[in-house]
């Protein structure tokens, strides 16, 4: 098979599009013919290398996988060759594309219990936008964050895949949302997705703006998966007993800290890592039924993975980037 392989951790020059051995199908596995694979920031972390995230090279990243069944193991029931499917990447063996060889390839092997029949109302490209984005948002806001109706929720990095899903999941629960992005155009699109207020953080201090919107009481919840220099301003924006929810650190995982806000306001900092198959399935059905919108999808041929990752790192896009195997070129 062809695959975009991480030969060396570091820059995108370590990515090589080449032949790679087909996965070995074991009795409980489903072999997936990948039709689309969504790009996430954890793919950047895997390629760069990150403390606490060892990767045995050569390695293939990519966890948001949609495709068809290419083969099934001897013990698998309920799936047949050709069935359209979506993958829950949080498997018993580890996360697909982070700990287990992933979907930036023509074929990928997945334990059968983490394969979801794809709703036929969805294309493969649209389906590949769902697992990490809506699975993460549903688990973070509901299971871990336990958000309440009428909560005022501040969402940083709201223009990316997880961000746009977070805005919509929060609104569907009856929350009020302040969505932050780095341009007026992105802010306008977030308004279209249902955000009550938007903040262009390249032009305004998001923490001060959120404090003003809250009537100088502070927000109930801040969703921060950026880290870096946004961390302390996020704490400042919270009300007494407020919650800071985090599921990543795209701008840096070792930010400056100011714990005075945490003890003085009795804040709760809550981490969220991953999601369950039920979360992915719920997200898939909600998108298929039109309850949630998918933002703009930008597609790249798999051989252009380096270009796609450069675009993600530059934050010069809105929505989701999807890789398509066996297709060269780029489509806006």
């Amino acid at each position: 098979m062809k695959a975009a392989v991480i030969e060396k951790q570091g820059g995108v020059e370590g990515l090589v599009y080449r032949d790679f051995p087909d996965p070995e199908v074991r009795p409980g596995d489903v072999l997936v013919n990948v039709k689309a694979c969504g790009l996430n920031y954890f793919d950047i972390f895997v390629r760069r290398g990150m403390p606490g995230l060892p990767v045995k090279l050569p390695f293939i990243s990519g966890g948001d996988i949609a495709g068809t069944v290419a083969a099934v193991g001897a013990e698998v029931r309920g799936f047949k060759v050709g069935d359209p499917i979506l993958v829950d990447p949080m498997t018993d063996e580890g996360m697909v594309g982070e700990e287990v060889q992933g979907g930036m390839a023509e074929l990928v092997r997945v334990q059968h219990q983490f394969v979801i029949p794809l709703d036929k109302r969805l294309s493969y490209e649209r389906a590949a936008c769902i697992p990490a984005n809506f699975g993460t948002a549903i688990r973070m806001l509901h299971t871990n964050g336990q958000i309440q109706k009428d909560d005022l929720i501040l969402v940083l990095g709201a223009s990316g895949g997880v961000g746009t899903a977070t805005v919509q999941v929060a609104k569907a629960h009856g929350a009020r949302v302040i969505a932050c992005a780095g341009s007026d155009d992105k802010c306008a699109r977030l308004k279209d997705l249902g955000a009550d207020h938007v903040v262009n953080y390249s032009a305004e201090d998001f923490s001060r703006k959120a404090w003003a919107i809250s009537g100088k009481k502070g927000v109930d919840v801040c969703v921060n998966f950026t880290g870096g220099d946004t961390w302390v301003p996020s704490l400042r924006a919270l009300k007494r007993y407020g919650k800071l929810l985090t599921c990543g650190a795209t701008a840096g995982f070792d930010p400056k800290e100011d714990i005075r806000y945490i003890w003085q306001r009795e804040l709760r900092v809550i981490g969220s890592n991953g999601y369950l198959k039920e979360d992915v399935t719920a997200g898939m059905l909600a998108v298929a039924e039109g309850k949630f919108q998918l933002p703009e999808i930008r597609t790249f041929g798999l051989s252009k993975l380096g270009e796609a990752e450069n675009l993600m790192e530059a934050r010069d896009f809105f929505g989701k980037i999807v890789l398509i195997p066996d297709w060269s070129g780029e489509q806006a």
Side-chain angles (χ1 to χ4, degrees), residues 318-332:
F318 182 93
K320 187 74 172 181
I321 297 172
V322 175
L323 281 298
I324 310 294
D326 287 329
W327 180 69
S328 60
E330 177 185 346
Q331 177 177 305

Side-chain angles (χ1 to χ4, degrees), residues 147-161:
I147 64 169
Q148 303 297 312
K149 184 178 181 295
D150 295 324
D151 273 352
L152 181 59
I153 299 180
L154 174 64
V155 182
L156 304 186
S159 63

Side-chain angles (χ1 to χ4, degrees), residues 30 69 72 75-81 83 85 112 115 117:
V30 170
V69 175
V72 296
E75 298 175 359
V76 176
R77 302 291 181 269
F79 292 101
K80 65 182 184 301
V81 173
D83 283 348
I85 59 89
H112 75 278
V115 176

Side-chain angles (χ1 to χ4, degrees), residues 114-305:
F114 298 96
V115 176
I116 303 166
L118 180 62
D119 191 294
K120 296 190 179 190
R121 291 170 288 186
L122 295 171
S123 68
Y124 298 115
E125 291 85 355
R126 286 168 56 78
C129 298
I130 292 169
N133 296 344
F134 286 96
T136 297
I138 290 168
R139 179 176 175 81
M140 178 170 54
L141 295 177
H142 294 309
T143 307
N144 294 328
Q146 298 181 349
I147 64 169
Q148 303 297 312
K149 184 178 181 295
D150 295 324
D151 273 352
L152 181 59
I153 299 180
L154 174 64
V155 182
L156 304 186
S159 63
V162 174
T164 54
T166 299
V167 169
Q168 294 183 82
V169 172
K171 285 298 298 177
H173 195 66
R176 295 171 296 140
V177 173
I178 306 169
C180 301
S183 73
D184 289 339
D185 177 63
K186 290 178 180 179
C187 286
R189 297 187 193 195
L190 288 165
K191 269 283 198 182
D192 291 341
L193 286 178
D196 299 279
H197 307 274
V198 292
V199 180
N200 178 350
Y201 58 72
S202 68
E204 297 183 89
D205 182 323
F206 74 84
S207 183
R208 288 180 181 274
K209 183 69 173 179
W211 189 260
I213 291 170
S214 72
K216 298 185 178 181
K217 295 178 181 179
V219 301
D220 297 284
V221 179
C222 177
V223 176
N224 183 322
F225 42 80
T226 55
D229 60 8
T230 68
W231 188 257
V232 173
S234 295
L235 297 174
R236 287 201 302 263
L238 286 163
K239 68 189 298 184
R240 188 176 180 85
Y241 311 125
K243 291 179 277 192
L244 194 156
L245 308 181
T246 179
C247 66
T250 58
F253 62 87
D254 56 351
K256 176 183 176 181
E257 184 62 277
D258 190 334
I259 63 174
R260 292 175 299 173
Y261 293 102
I262 297 174
W263 90 65
Q264 289 175 355
R265 297 184 187 175
E266 299 187 65
L267 303 179
R268 286 161 286 176
V269 178
I270 302 170
S272 188
N273 185 33
Y275 32 84
L276 300 177
K277 184 178 179 181
E278 303 92 89
D279 301 325
V280 177
T281 303
M284 177 187 73
L285 292 174
V287 172
E289 291 166 2
K291 294 178 180 177
F292 296 144
Q293 300 178 53
L294 294 178
E296 175 184 334
I297 300 172
R298 181 105 179 246
T299 56
F300 286 79
L302 187 55
S303 63
K304 306 293 185 182
L305 178 58

